[in-house]
Tab-separated table of all heavy atoms in Angstrom:
chain	number	residue	atom	x	y	z
A	233	ALA	N	14.342	66.743	-31.023
A	233	ALA	CA	13.917	66.640	-29.627
A	233	ALA	C	13.828	68.010	-28.994
A	233	ALA	O	12.883	68.319	-28.251
A	233	ALA	CB	14.893	65.745	-28.862
A	234	ARG	N	14.863	68.867	-29.321
A	234	ARG	CA	14.827	70.219	-28.767
A	234	ARG	C	13.620	70.984	-29.277
A	234	ARG	O	12.962	71.718	-28.528
A	234	ARG	CB	16.128	70.954	-29.122
A	234	ARG	CG	17.298	70.544	-28.225
A	234	ARG	CD	18.416	71.583	-28.323
A	234	ARG	NE	18.931	71.686	-29.669
A	234	ARG	CZ	19.937	70.968	-30.154
A	234	ARG	NH1	20.533	70.087	-29.379
A	234	ARG	NH2	20.342	71.125	-31.388
A	235	ASN	N	13.363	70.833	-30.593
A	235	ASN	CA	12.199	71.520	-31.157
A	235	ASN	C	10.910	71.073	-30.494
A	235	ASN	O	10.036	71.886	-30.184
A	235	ASN	CB	12.126	71.253	-32.663
A	235	ASN	CG	13.264	71.922	-33.394
A	235	ASN	OD1	13.831	72.916	-32.919
A	235	ASN	ND2	13.627	71.381	-34.541
A	236	VAL	N	10.834	69.776	-30.288
A	236	VAL	CA	9.628	69.255	-29.647
A	236	VAL	C	9.528	69.788	-28.227
A	236	VAL	O	8.440	70.174	-27.764
A	236	VAL	CB	9.655	67.715	-29.672
A	236	VAL	CG1	8.524	67.164	-28.811
A	236	VAL	CG2	9.526	67.207	-31.092
A	237	ALA	N	10.702	69.837	-27.550
A	237	ALA	CA	10.694	70.369	-26.188
A	237	ALA	C	10.266	71.829	-26.187
A	237	ALA	O	9.488	72.268	-25.331
A	237	ALA	CB	12.079	70.210	-25.573
A	238	SER	N	10.796	72.584	-27.174
A	238	SER	CA	10.406	73.988	-27.289
A	238	SER	C	8.912	74.120	-27.568
A	238	SER	O	8.229	74.971	-26.991
A	238	SER	CB	11.217	74.645	-28.412
A	238	SER	OG	10.782	75.945	-28.633
A	239	LEU	N	8.453	73.242	-28.466
A	239	LEU	CA	7.028	73.268	-28.777
A	239	LEU	C	6.193	72.989	-27.541
A	239	LEU	O	5.191	73.660	-27.279
A	239	LEU	CB	6.732	72.221	-29.860
A	239	LEU	CG	5.278	72.056	-30.261
A	239	LEU	CD1	4.762	73.330	-30.917
A	239	LEU	CD2	5.117	70.890	-31.212
A	240	ILE	N	6.676	72.044	-26.781
A	240	ILE	CA	5.940	71.718	-25.549
A	240	ILE	C	5.939	72.908	-24.609
A	240	ILE	O	4.928	73.232	-23.969
A	240	ILE	CB	6.565	70.480	-24.894
A	240	ILE	CG1	6.314	69.255	-25.781
A	240	ILE	CG2	5.999	70.248	-23.497
A	240	ILE	CD1	7.070	68.025	-25.361
A	241	ASP	N	7.135	73.589	-24.517
A	241	ASP	CA	7.194	74.778	-23.658
A	241	ASP	C	6.218	75.835	-24.136
A	241	ASP	O	5.520	76.482	-23.336
A	241	ASP	CB	8.619	75.332	-23.673
A	241	ASP	CG	9.570	74.398	-22.940
A	241	ASP	OD1	9.080	73.573	-22.145
A	241	ASP	OD2	10.786	74.492	-23.189
A	242	ASN	N	6.186	76.036	-25.478
A	242	ASN	CA	5.261	77.030	-26.020
A	242	ASN	C	3.821	76.675	-25.710
A	242	ASN	O	3.016	77.536	-25.335
A	242	ASN	CB	5.451	77.150	-27.531
A	242	ASN	CG	6.799	77.751	-27.861
A	242	ASN	OD1	7.392	78.461	-27.047
A	242	ASN	ND2	7.300	77.453	-29.050
A	243	VAL	N	3.549	75.441	-25.909
A	243	VAL	CA	2.181	75.001	-25.615
A	243	VAL	C	1.856	75.227	-24.149
A	243	VAL	O	0.755	75.661	-23.784
A	243	VAL	CB	2.027	73.513	-25.997
A	243	VAL	CG1	0.712	72.964	-25.481
A	243	VAL	CG2	2.105	73.341	-27.499
A	244	GLU	N	2.870	74.945	-23.314
A	244	GLU	CA	2.658	75.138	-21.880
A	244	GLU	C	2.401	76.616	-21.580
A	244	GLU	O	1.519	76.969	-20.785
A	244	GLU	CB	3.885	74.643	-21.128
A	244	GLU	CG	3.719	74.663	-19.621
A	244	GLU	CD	4.934	74.098	-18.924
A	244	GLU	OE1	5.869	73.705	-19.657
A	244	GLU	OE2	4.959	74.071	-17.689
A	245	GLU	N	3.192	77.492	-22.246
A	245	GLU	CA	3.023	78.926	-22.027
A	245	GLU	C	1.651	79.390	-22.497
A	245	GLU	O	0.958	80.153	-21.800
A	245	GLU	CB	4.125	79.682	-22.774
A	245	GLU	CG	4.091	81.190	-22.525
A	245	GLU	CD	5.220	81.883	-23.267
A	245	GLU	OE1	6.064	81.166	-23.835
A	245	GLU	OE2	5.227	83.129	-23.293
A	246	VAL	N	1.286	78.926	-23.691
A	246	VAL	CA	-0.027	79.296	-24.218
A	246	VAL	C	-1.124	78.813	-23.283
A	246	VAL	O	-2.094	79.527	-22.989
A	246	VAL	CB	-0.211	78.701	-25.633
A	246	VAL	CG1	-1.651	78.838	-26.084
A	246	VAL	CG2	0.710	79.393	-26.616
A	247	THR	N	-0.908	77.636	-22.793
A	247	THR	CA	-1.907	77.075	-21.869
A	247	THR	C	-2.014	77.917	-20.617
A	247	THR	O	-3.108	78.199	-20.110
A	247	THR	CB	-1.499	75.643	-21.507
A	247	THR	OG1	-1.337	74.901	-22.704
A	247	THR	CG2	-2.565	74.989	-20.645
Side-chain angles (χ1 to χ4, degrees):
Chain A
R234 281 197 299 270
N235 292 335
V236 171
S238 174
L239 177 65
I240 292 170
D241 290 341
N242 292 336
V243 170
E244 186 177 0
E245 184 179 353
V246 169
T247 305

